[in-house]
Amino acid sequence: MSDWPLTRTFRSASGDVRWDTLGEPGRDPVVLCHGTPFSSYVWRAVARSLARHHHVFVWDMPGYGASQMSAGQDVSLAAQGRILTELLAHWRLTEPVVVAHDFGGAVSLRARLLHGARYRALALVDPVALVPWGSPFFRLVGEHAEVFEQLPPALHGALVREYVGSASSRGLHPAVLDRLVRPWLGDPGQAAFYRQIAQADQRHTNEVQHRYGEIGLPVLVCWGQEDTWIPPAKGHELVARIPGARLEPIAGAGHLVQEDAPAELTAALIAFLAQLS
């Protein structure tokens, strides 16, 4: 998509992963991980700001955004954690800073704790990290994905539009909402939308959440204080489980902090990165 082109491809066991970089090679690397039902597009403002002084890597998880969507595809958190680990090796990044939102948080935590991925530091933004998670709608769809896949396209489009829009506390610009919804429309996109929800399984966070004390890195946890998808109290609980972690509340932001408060989030990340120097 021309407004946020990902020009490079990594072939993974779960399909082609589209990715790209911003900033000058050789600078300290930062890897940005998106959540669901989003794509790396949500990082565009933050990525362009960080690229002034860092080499920024962005990618769409398989089954999302510009990456491959196909029947029978494994888009589970388990698969995504392995793929992130493989991508870091493909990029020849030994200790990047990883910044991860929502499901990307679980992906980055699994890569670190189960697959030995090495980071210099980790910033988590409203992450999926502690059970229970998933809204009543999310759980309903997960239990009946095969029914939702058969919705008429217009009804499906309206459902996705309403769902994605609810991630913002301030309301998304119509053009941004259109862009976030677009990958999920049409036959491949509609099936992919329900596939990724159907494969979301809390056992994939159960497998790692008892090990958060082992992370052994500088950790920043940012949380939108108007998040209705994952309560801000989860941020306090998560920080309490990670020795030395710091919580950065983002006032007025919902779950999609990158859209609701990009300047505030970018400032918090830049300050965190500066402390690592």
Side-chain angles (χ1 to χ4, degrees):
M1 298 181 183
S2 59
D3 55 338
W4 180 248
L6 301 181
T7 64
R8 310 184 200 188
T9 301
F10 172 74
R11 305 198 183 281
S12 80
S14 289
D16 289 354
V17 174
R18 300 294 288 176
W19 66 276
D20 220 319
T21 66
L22 299 85
E24 294 183 13
R27 289 178 171 174
D28 290 341
V30 176
V31 176
L32 303 179
C33 303
H34 69 84
T36 181
F38 312 112
S39 69
S40 61
Y41 178 76
V42 300
W43 284 117
R44 65 198 181 283
V46 175
R48 288 165 177 155
S49 295
L50 295 181
R52 291 174 177 265
H53 301 288
H54 297 82
H55 193 200
V56 179
F57 291 74
V58 294
W59 63 296
D60 285 355
M61 295 188 291
Y64 294 77
S67 290
Q68 183 175 338
M69 299 177 177
S70 58
Q73 189 176 23
D74 185 355
V75 295
S76 66
L77 285 172
Q80 307 291 6
R82 290 192 297 269
I83 290 165
L84 173 57
T85 308
E86 293 168 2
L87 270 173
L88 296 178
H90 177 69
W91 293 332
R92 298 181 180 179
L93 302 180
T94 55
E95 289 192 334
V97 175
V98 173
V99 182
H101 174 244
D102 184 75
F103 262 35
V107 170
S108 65
L109 289 164
R110 288 183 63 89
R112 169 70 180 174
L113 295 170
L114 298 183
H115 304 299
R118 297 176 61 189
Y119 311 150
R120 184 180 180 192
L122 177 62
L124 299 168
V125 183
D126 294 57
V128 169
L130 298 170
V131 296
W133 48 263
S135 66
F137 166 79
F138 194 91
R139 291 192 293 270
L140 176 67
V141 171
E143 293 167 2
H144 304 284
E146 70 286 350
V147 175
F148 281 89
E149 286 180 18
Q150 300 175 51
L151 286 175
L155 186 56
H156 163 74
L159 183 153
V160 176
R161 192 175 183 88
E162 180 65 24
Y163 179 53
V164 170
S166 71
S168 167
S169 67
R170 299 179 176 178
L172 297 172
H173 187 284
V176 171
L177 182 55
D178 287 346
R179 178 63 175 77
L180 292 174
V181 169
R182 193 185 314 161
W184 303 120
L185 304 181
D187 291 342
Q190 180 165 340
F193 180 79
Y194 298 112
R195 183 182 305 117
Q196 49 93 17
I197 295 178
Q199 293 185 27
D201 193 325
Q202 291 194 7
R203 68 186 172 89
H204 292 137
T205 45
N206 285 337
E207 290 173 352
V208 293
Q209 71 174 39
H210 65 285
R211 297 183 57 186
Y212 291 163
E214 304 171 25
I215 291 175
L217 300 167
V219 175
L220 174 70
V221 178
C222 299
W223 216 287
Q225 295 303 284
E226 303 300 324
D227 189 342
T228 59
W229 284 23
I230 310 178
K234 288 288 188 182
H236 293 276
E237 183 181 348
L238 180 59
V239 166
R241 289 172 176 250
I242 303 174
R246 182 172 64 83
L247 180 65
E248 181 77 29
I250 308 292
H255 185 69
L256 201 50
V257 183
Q258 302 97 318
E259 299 294 340
D260 286 353
E264 293 88 340
L265 177 59
T266 301
L269 293 175
I270 288 174
F272 179 59
L273 291 167
Q275 292 171 3
L276 303 174
S277 301

